[in-house]
Amino acid sequence: MVDVQHWLSALPPGVVYLIVAGVIGVESMGVPLPGEIVLVSSALLAATGVVEPEWVASAAAFGAIVGDSVGYAVGRRGGRPLLARLGRRFPKHLGPAQLARAEQSFARHGVWAVFFGRFVALLRILAGPLAGALHVPYRRFLLANAAGGLVWAFGTTYLLYSVGKAAEHWLKDISWAGLVLAVLAGLGSTWWLRRRAHHVTSTDSASGVEVASDGQSAAVAPDVDPVRAGNEH
């Protein structure tokens, strides 16, 4: 992440914003890219004054919302065969087991899986294409997608920006206690958000999603229709 931040610092601010929007947007379409690393690096860079935090957050939110919407359209058009092809291309991130877990989340939580999925690496990549493939109503998807993208982008950016500015100020005064408190506050907030987000997927492991011996995922959940569950939510 330090290397990413150093690389971004050598670029004009406008290019940094485009990279943030582009990387997060492509990741949200279903392609595994380090979107969160780019956002974190850019937010910390904003604390040094190289870029503006509001533009970093706006670029991240724009990329997340548009990328998820494009992923939704592609998933709705390509369906499960598309997800299967993505799994073969990126087996480590989008293999049968990962896809089955994501489907389980949608079956149990509907569009809330889209909102909290923005804070979970697996669902952040799969939310758009999977929601489209499962024919989740687009209006509900867009509402959860926009809310999750805005909270994730602006929350992450300003949390890290504030911690970075506080650290810079306190380091000048050699107030190590204050620095530790700021870091702990930031970590505590991030932990709470991730705990809430992981709660969405925590039932997946407990439900025992099975993967068939031929490498394909088994049924999403007994007696659960993911499309109906997504629509009901």
Side-chain angles (χ1 to χ4, degrees), residues 116-192:
F116 286 111
R118 181 48 56 181
F119 300 90
V120 180
L122 171 64
L123 285 178
R124 186 163 57 246
I125 299 172
L126 280 173
L130 187 55
L134 296 178
H135 294 274
V136 173
Y138 181 68
R139 288 186 179 181
R140 294 182 181 181
F141 167 80
L142 180 60
L143 179 61
N145 171 33
L150 288 169
V151 172
W152 175 72
F154 279 85
T156 301
T157 299
Y158 277 96
L159 172 63
L160 293 171
Y161 172 78
S162 300
V163 171
K165 294 295 288 184
E168 182 181 10
H169 172 74
W170 281 324
L171 279 175
K172 289 180 180 179
D173 297 333
I174 319 180
S175 179
W176 292 102
L179 174 60
V180 170
L181 288 176
V183 172
L184 289 177
L187 290 175
S189 301
T190 303
W191 171 84
W192 185 86

Side-chain angles (χ1 to χ4, degrees), residues 53-145:
E54 62 269 23
W55 284 106
V56 171
S58 298
F62 177 82
I65 296 170
V66 173
D68 268 342
S69 294
V70 173
Y72 175 93
V74 173
R76 191 177 183 90
R77 187 177 184 86
R80 284 299 301 265
L82 171 67
L83 298 176
R85 287 197 298 273
L86 285 174
R88 289 193 295 270
R89 188 173 182 85
F90 305 105
K92 183 178 178 181
H93 299 87
L94 308 177
Q98 290 83 356
L99 179 58
R101 286 177 53 201
E103 286 183 319
Q104 186 78 1
S105 295
F106 270 87
R108 290 180 176 274
H109 306 288
V111 293
W112 283 107
V114 177
F115 178 87
F116 286 111
R118 181 48 56 181
F119 300 90
V120 180
L122 171 64
L123 285 178
R124 186 163 57 246
I125 299 172
L126 280 173
L130 187 55
L134 296 178
H135 294 274
V136 173
Y138 181 68
R139 288 186 179 181
R140 294 182 181 181
F141 167 80
L142 180 60
L143 179 61
N145 171 33

